Amino acid sequence: MIPPAQRILLVLAAISWSGPSLDWTTRRDSLVMKPRPHVSDCLQVPMVQWPDTLRDANGKDVAALGPETRLLPPGVFPELQYLPDEGSVLLPAPKNRLRLLMAGPGDSYLLEGTGSLGDASWSGYTKVLSPGPKTEFDNGYAGTSGAWMDAKGTLWAFYHAEDQVGIPPMPGTEIPGYYASIGLATSIDTGRHWTKRGPLIRTRDPKIVGDSTRTDQGAAEPGVVASPDGKWLYVDWSDHSRPENEGVRICLSRMRIAGGTLLPASCRTWDGHGFNSPCLGGQAEPVLRGELVLGSRWNGDALEGHPLWVPRLKRYAMVFGVWPWKGLGDSSLVGTYLAFSSDMVHWERPVRILHDLSIPVPGRSLRWEATLLPDGTSNSTAWLVYGYSPHWPDSTGGSGHRPMLRRLKWLEGPVLEWTLPVKRPPLRPKASTRL
């Protein structure tokens, strides 16, 4: 079973790499397919041995990485496949207790246990958030991807919501197409029961229906972090609008924290000059594009950003996926990247932290939807949680992704120089084709 929230890129990759090579030209009202010579560069991802230490171009150590381990050991919740499908959320809990929010195929789950993430003993899980009725904005999918607790003990969750009504399945599959929004939900019993508060963030482009429409649309995959002064809550999100045929990019909204709680009505989106646009349908300008890694905004995507404030560095750190389109850019740059910022808007050059496919491709290995989670024992360490599959399901078998874990130790400071050569973006897009 493939979860309903898979991106259009997965479908295009599956079609192209499992059969005749295809060239997809995206237009606002149609998706045109035509033959082209086979190009398989995106499949050839060199699986190098991961370094124990990440370094910048000047040789300065940034972070040390521990070994990859399973978050859920074999035999623990085997029925829960495709975890995580969005960002992972470590909820506040009593000492020696674990409470972890994770999205699966369509729904969200609360996993509970004892110990720490590195030595957890899991006791059970509960489905806590599900899609709404066909008339609602989240009728097809409700996947939590970030949360924050206010001073009054109320949990505020931000979830990837899909409206699947009137949008055709992704080409060649039964995976529903969608128009995504960022939904808001609250809980007053530490995450066991949630009350939906409606959509919080939408793109300026409205939902487009019809047999020929693009099958992934809207604002998706949120990440959440509070400012260290306690005044603002930031929500970054992936914009699937693809204006002027550029890639998926990461945008940013924020809300005021006052009186010990969150003020959703104050939500505003970054428009390139400030947080001036309304979060529901306002103009959004990205804070991260694929060109930061790929050299051109038309070469691929930056998506699924999940931030964390790092007190030791006095910086925000964010992990996000980079996906070069087939036949464009340099596929050796695919993976999950780590970047730093002092204000969530301006980001320093990233370094790759996971070198594997960042979008599911049938028959290939996958490491994606990475999240940085705080380590309650130290300000100098954090946990990197992500989904992994050695063989994404295809006609020969395979399995859905399962959550993995690596401990990360912050070292001297943030990255100051890029570790890869920069390619200058072209003045105009060379073509409107992609994978």
Side-chain angles (χ1 to χ4, degrees):
M1 175 181 177
I2 298 178
Q6 299 309 333
R7 316 320 183 239
I8 184 68
L9 295 176
L10 159 63
V11 179
L12 301 185
I15 293 174
S16 178
W17 290 336
S18 61
S21 180
L22 305 174
D23 181 22
W24 294 83
T25 302
T26 302
R27 302 186 183 136
R28 187 175 181 83
D29 59 349
S30 65
L31 197 60
V32 180
M33 181 175 65
K34 58 186 179 181
R36 75 171 184 183
H38 181 68
V39 181
S40 59
D41 59 334
C42 278
L43 281 176
Q44 309 305 317
V45 178
M47 293 298 130
V48 299
Q49 183 178 1
W50 292 350
D52 294 326
T53 304
L54 296 173
R55 292 186 175 91
D56 65 17
N58 296 321
K60 180 179 290 187
D61 293 341
V62 178
L65 292 169
E68 181 179 68
T69 60
R70 296 176 185 265
L71 180 60
L72 298 179
V76 176
F77 313 149
E79 64 279 13
L80 292 183
Q81 295 293 315
Y82 304 99
L83 291 180
D85 201 41
E86 301 290 337
S88 303
V89 184
L90 191 61
L91 297 180
K95 185 177 181 180
N96 203 40
R97 299 287 299 178
L98 272 177
R99 311 182 80 250
L100 188 66
L101 268 181
M102 275 192 174
D107 306 285
S108 299
Y109 299 87
L110 176 63
L111 283 62
E112 297 185 87
T114 57
S116 70
L117 283 178
D119 62 354
S121 177
W122 300 99
S123 56
Y125 68 88
T126 306
K127 184 186 295 186
V128 295
L129 199 66
S130 296
K134 293 298 182 183
T135 55
E136 291 296 327
F137 73 104
D138 60 355
N139 56 66
Y141 185 93
T144 53
S145 196
W148 173 79
M149 178 178 277
D150 67 20
K152 302 177 181 179
T154 299
L155 279 169
W156 299 77
F158 302 80
Y159 67 98
H160 172 103
E162 292 183 8
D163 177 0
Q164 299 175 356
V165 175
I167 300 178
M170 296 185 179
T173 78
E174 296 181 358
I175 304 173
Y178 63 84
Y179 178 84
S181 306
I182 308 303
L184 182 64
T186 57
S187 172
I188 57 175
D189 62 357
T190 63
R192 292 188 178 277
H193 301 90
W194 294 88
T195 300
K196 294 179 180 179
R197 301 297 184 184
L200 177 72
I201 299 171
R202 282 181 174 150
T203 59
R204 184 174 61 171
D205 291 349
K207 173 185 173 183
I208 302 174
V209 301
D211 292 340
S212 61
T213 188
R214 194 178 69 240
T215 53
D216 71 316
Q217 308 172 36
E221 304 118 21
V224 178
V225 66
S227 63
D229 60 10
K231 294 181 179 180
W232 302 100
L233 190 73
Y234 292 99
V235 181
D236 71 85
W237 46 278
S238 304
D239 179 10
H240 286 251
S241 300
R242 298 187 181 89
E244 299 180 358
N245 283 319
E246 71 171 277
V248 177
R249 66 260 183 94
I250 296 175
C251 296
L252 185 67
S253 302
R254 75 176 185 183
M255 288 155 284
R256 182 169 291 280
I257 300 170
T261 191
L262 191 63
L263 305 178
S266 68
C267 188
R268 296 294 183 272
T269 294
W270 177 260
D271 65 0
H273 304 283
F275 290 93
N276 304 312
S277 291
C279 287
L280 289 172
Q283 171 66 30
E285 284 296 317
V287 295
L288 267 175
R289 284 186 168 105
E291 69 178 303
L292 194 61
V293 172
L294 303 172
S296 168
R297 70 185 61 179
W298 297 286
N299 279 7
D301 302 318
L303 70 171
E304 299 159 358
H306 300 297
L308 176 72
W309 171 255
V310 184
R312 180 181 178 88
L313 304 183
K314 296 182 180 180
R315 293 286 193 278
Y316 297 96
M318 183 158 65
V319 286
F320 61 99
V322 169
W323 182 255
W325 295 322
K326 188 175 180 182
L328 296 174
D330 184 350
S331 65
S332 68
L333 303 181
V334 72
T336 298
Y337 283 74
L338 170 67
F340 296 92
S341 172
S342 60
D343 60 5
M344 284 292 292
V345 174
H346 305 93
W347 291 89
E348 297 162 359
R349 298 293 186 180
V351 292
R352 184 165 47 203
I353 194 168
L354 296 175
H355 192 187
D356 204 344
L357 298 187
S358 56
I359 292 291
V361 175
R364 303 295 299 183
S365 65
L366 168 74
R367 288 176 174 88
W368 81 325
E369 284 288 2
T371 307
L372 289 170
L373 297 179
D375 182 353
T377 64
S378 172
N379 283 336
S380 64
T381 57
W383 294 104
L384 183 70
V385 177
Y386 51 94
Y388 166 67
S389 174
H391 182 116
W392 182 261
D394 62 6
S395 59
T396 65
S399 61
H401 55 274
R402 296 275 283 174
M404 306 299 287
L405 188 70
R406 296 191 77 178
R407 199 168 193 179
L408 185 148
K409 182 177 181 180
W410 306 114
L411 299 175
E412 292 185 14
V415 179
L416 300 178
E417 299 292 340
W418 203 9
T419 60
L420 299 168
V422 176
K423 297 180 181 179
R424 294 184 179 275
L427 297 178
R428 299 173 61 88
K430 294 182 179 179
S432 62
T433 56
R434 56 171 50 92
L435 188 67

